[in-house]
Amino acid sequence: MKGITKILILVGFVALITGCAPAIDGYKYMLTGKEGEPPPRTIEAAQAQFIDGNITIGQSTPADLKALLGSPAQIKKVDGNKVHVYMKNVSTQGVSVDVGTTYIASYTFNKKGKLVDKEYAAHPMGNPLTGQ
């Protein structure tokens, strides 16, 4: 009976450690006190998050975009055009009230289904502790 208990405890410990690895990685900075810098908030940094060099204005379709980047976070209509919006959150590594950066890429398709515009943006991520 003691052998089975030891094995169950060992298996439980391994499962706990492997399942919590991302959480432990995030909290290691709290122990060291290392202050973190948020990811950059520039258009260039936003463009680097979305590898879309094969998406060409005047030629690419929503199917081309979906094949490259997957499903968009949102599709909305603006002036009769469809805008596919992609978002990516990058967390600050270290101790900071600034939790990170949200990168946004918007791809506008005309009524014929051809890409007419690409836009990028970078904004601070909302902090659940401060409500901002």
Side-chain angles (χ1 to χ4, degrees), residues 1-122:
M1 186 68 174
K2 289 183 180 181
I4 293 174
T5 303
K6 287 180 181 178
I7 290 173
L8 289 174
I9 290 172
L10 179 62
V11 168
F13 181 73
V14 169
L16 177 69
I17 294 299
T18 57
C20 294
I24 291 170
D25 187 46
Y27 287 107
K28 71 182 176 184
Y29 294 103
M30 293 179 77
L31 300 175
T32 63
K34 180 182 173 189
E35 187 172 341
E37 288 290 321
R41 296 190 179 121
T42 64
I43 298 300
E44 292 79 16
Q47 286 174 328
Q49 295 297 318
F50 304 96
I51 309 302
D52 61 2
N54 295 339
I55 301 298
T56 307
I57 292 178
Q59 296 178 0
S60 298
T61 66
D64 298 331
L65 184 63
K66 186 174 182 180
L68 187 64
L69 298 179
S71 296
Q74 181 182 27
I75 299 174
K76 56 186 179 181
K77 276 197 163 189
V78 177
D79 298 329
N81 296 324
K82 285 189 179 179
V83 180
H84 294 235
V85 180
Y86 289 81
M87 301 172 73
K88 183 173 183 183
N89 291 321
V90 178
S91 299
T92 298
Q93 296 297 308
V95 178
S96 177
V97 289
D98 190 330
V99 294
T101 301
T102 298
Y103 295 106
I104 302 167
S106 300
Y107 302 89
T108 304
F109 294 90
N110 63 18
K111 293 177 184 177
K112 295 179 182 179
K114 297 295 181 182
L115 182 68
V116 293
D117 192 26
K118 295 192 230 183
E119 291 183 7
Y120 304 93

